[in-house]
Amino acid sequence: MKLIRKILFPLVPIYYLVTWLRNKLYDLGIKKSVSYNFPVICVGNLSVGGTGKTPMIEYLIKLLKNDFKLATLSRGYKRKTKGFQLADVNSTAESIGDEPFQFYNKFKNDILVAVDSDRNNGIKNLRNLENKPEVILLDDAFQHRKVIASFNILLTTYNNIYTEDFVLPTGNLREPKSGAKRANVIIVTKCPNDLKESEKVVILNKLKLQSYQFAFFSSIAYSNEVFSNDTSKNFESLHDFTLVTGIANAKPLVDFLEAKNLRFEHLDFKDHHEFSQQDIVLLEKQELIITTEKDYMRLKQHESLKDKLFYLPITVVIDNKIKFNELIKQAVKH
């Protein structure tokens, strides 16, 4: 893959120009964007791959759900349906996508969960509901320029900060680095728990924040237990098991489990992997399966895996979270 990316380097200027021009047309108002008179918070990134958008959305849900009527709006990546879909008791990972299905399973009594590749159409449908939301969280919509979010949160990973990357196809950037100027907040995600202040200064210098921007650092906290629908297990009870992942970067999870001195075999699938019947037959042969919460949403529909399938939840820990929380609450009150 790295060789192919190097070979495709001559295409980088073309991709750069096309995405830069698209953004410029929106900036100049030639291409139409829509703003709203209620809070719309966008969580996204410049890079392809996992920067931690799902746990960040969940953090915002927990922060806001008790004070506002809240909705999440996602594209619903790899779902089998089209158009606007509002999650309900009949929804599955196939009908709304694995991440929205995860939001619905965890917060269905507190929020609305919707999907629509046309975010403006999704917002319109949500606001036409009798129990319309007061705040909408846009999941992975930083490049969806048809919507002018009232507050933009840009995520970039500690191990691959966007300032040191290239645009596709050689690098991982969906658009030029200058797109970061649209962000109100930039969060460096998946940081080591012992990140030093001196290293934060180095990273901040690389980000070159605008006067209106704020930066934060976050890390991942793993649960001390794994869960299924009706039970849980602590790590002491886990012996040999199979780790199944279909996420962009499984290394932090693997490192965490290895640090616990746990013995496991790792079946590493690509991000948003659609598990085939052949895959399920393979998983049925395993005695105990630990997976991510996102993958669990796709696998739990298989009755044959019910008694052996568990997931490990994660949460986001934000450095200086009091200031961050205040910024978010100010954004939704304006």
Side-chain angles (χ1 to χ4, degrees):
M1 180 61 75
K2 289 183 178 180
L3 177 60
I4 294 175
R5 287 195 167 202
K6 289 180 180 179
I7 293 173
L8 294 175
F9 184 78
L11 298 179
V12 167
I14 299 173
Y15 185 93
Y16 182 101
L17 181 61
V18 169
T19 53
W20 177 88
L21 180 59
R22 174 182 180 269
N23 279 329
K24 199 66 179 176
L25 292 175
Y26 276 111
D27 293 340
L28 295 173
I30 297 172
K31 290 180 75 70
K32 185 180 178 183
S33 299
V34 179
S35 59
Y36 296 90
N37 61 356
F38 58 90
V40 177
I41 299 178
C42 171
V43 176
N45 51 24
L46 294 183
S47 307
V48 296
T51 54
K53 294 183 296 294
T54 300
M56 188 66 239
I57 290 285
E58 292 189 355
Y59 182 99
L60 295 174
I61 292 172
K62 292 173 185 176
L63 178 64
L64 299 173
K65 66 183 177 65
N66 292 330
D67 298 316
F68 301 92
K69 293 179 183 177
L70 199 62
T72 64
L73 179 60
S74 312
R75 176 176 53 159
Y77 184 62
K78 284 198 172 182
R79 62 188 170 113
K80 305 297 185 182
T81 57
K82 300 291 184 181
F84 177 80
Q85 299 285 326
L86 184 65
D88 59 24
V89 293
N90 297 314
S91 297
T92 64
E94 288 192 342
S95 67
I96 62 173
D98 48 19
E99 287 143 342
F101 190 50
Q102 179 175 320
F103 300 151
Y104 179 74
N105 271 265
K106 294 179 81 167
F107 303 107
K108 57 189 170 187
N109 296 323
D110 300 308
I111 70 168
L112 298 170
V113 175
V115 295
D116 198 325
S117 58
D118 182 339
R119 302 306 204 284
N120 282 318
N121 185 65
I123 291 172
K124 175 184 174 182
N125 277 281
L126 282 169
R127 292 287 287 183
N128 283 338
L129 295 172
E130 184 176 347
N131 185 31
K132 65 183 179 182
E134 299 169 315
V135 180
I136 295 178
L137 305 178
L138 295 182
D139 177 26
D140 194 14
F142 196 74
Q143 283 75 38
H144 200 91
R145 297 295 307 274
K146 291 181 180 180
V147 174
I148 301 176
S150 51
F151 198 84
N152 280 294
I153 300 173
L154 179 67
L155 308 182
T156 185
T157 57
Y158 168 81
N159 286 324
N160 189 26
I161 294 175
Y162 66 83
T163 56
E164 300 176 347
D165 205 349
F166 294 96
V167 295
L168 293 164
T170 297
N172 291 313
L173 297 184
R174 298 170 171 179
E175 60 172 297
K177 303 167 191 177
S178 58
K181 293 179 180 179
R182 301 195 305 274
N184 300 94
V185 162
I186 298 174
I187 303 179
V188 182
T189 63
K190 302 183 181 181
C191 295
N193 292 325
D194 57 352
L195 185 64
K196 297 178 180 178
E197 291 298 323
S198 58
E199 191 170 359
K200 292 179 185 178
V201 171
V202 171
I203 294 172
L204 290 173
N205 287 335
K206 291 178 181 178
L207 294 178
K208 297 180 181 178
L209 299 177
Q210 302 297 307
S211 60
Y212 53 85
Q213 292 180 316
F214 297 87
F216 296 88
F217 298 85
S218 72
S219 58
I220 293 173
Y222 292 95
S223 172
N224 291 319
E225 295 179 294
V226 294
F227 297 84
S228 67
N229 274 346
D230 50 14
T231 188
S232 63
K233 293 178 179 289
N234 56 36
F235 287 126
E236 287 71 23
S237 66
L238 300 180
H239 301 293
D240 292 330
F241 62 88
T242 302
L243 174 66
V244 176
T245 59
I247 56 178
N249 180 16
K251 188 176 185 304
L253 174 56
V254 171
D255 290 346
F256 171 77
L257 294 174
E258 288 180 343
K260 294 282 185 182
N261 295 317
L262 297 171
R263 292 179 309 211
F264 58 92
E265 175 190 6
H266 185 197
L267 299 180
D268 189 15
F269 298 93
K270 65 180 181 180
D271 195 19
H272 293 279
H273 178 70
E274 295 184 29
F275 292 96
S276 66
Q277 188 55 44
Q278 185 177 358
D279 294 331
I280 301 305
V281 170
L282 172 63
L283 296 182
E284 287 173 344
K285 298 176 182 178
Q286 314 306 313
E287 291 187 13
L288 177 63
I289 299 169
I290 308 300
T291 190
T292 68
E293 196 166 1
K294 183 172 76 170
D295 294 311
Y296 182 81
M297 294 301 144
R298 278 172 281 155
L299 290 170
K300 72 173 188 174
Q301 63 180 309
H302 298 282
E303 192 67 25
S304 59
L305 302 179
K306 181 179 178 181
D307 296 330
K308 62 179 69 178
L309 184 65
F310 291 78
Y311 67 89
L312 178 62
I314 64 172
T315 54
V316 167
V317 178
I318 297 181
D319 187 32
N320 200 0
K321 73 173 185 177
I322 293 176
K323 182 178 180 181
F324 175 77
N325 292 354
E326 287 177 351
L327 283 173
I328 298 301
K329 290 180 177 180
Q330 288 173 9
V332 298
K333 286 178 180 177
H334 292 166

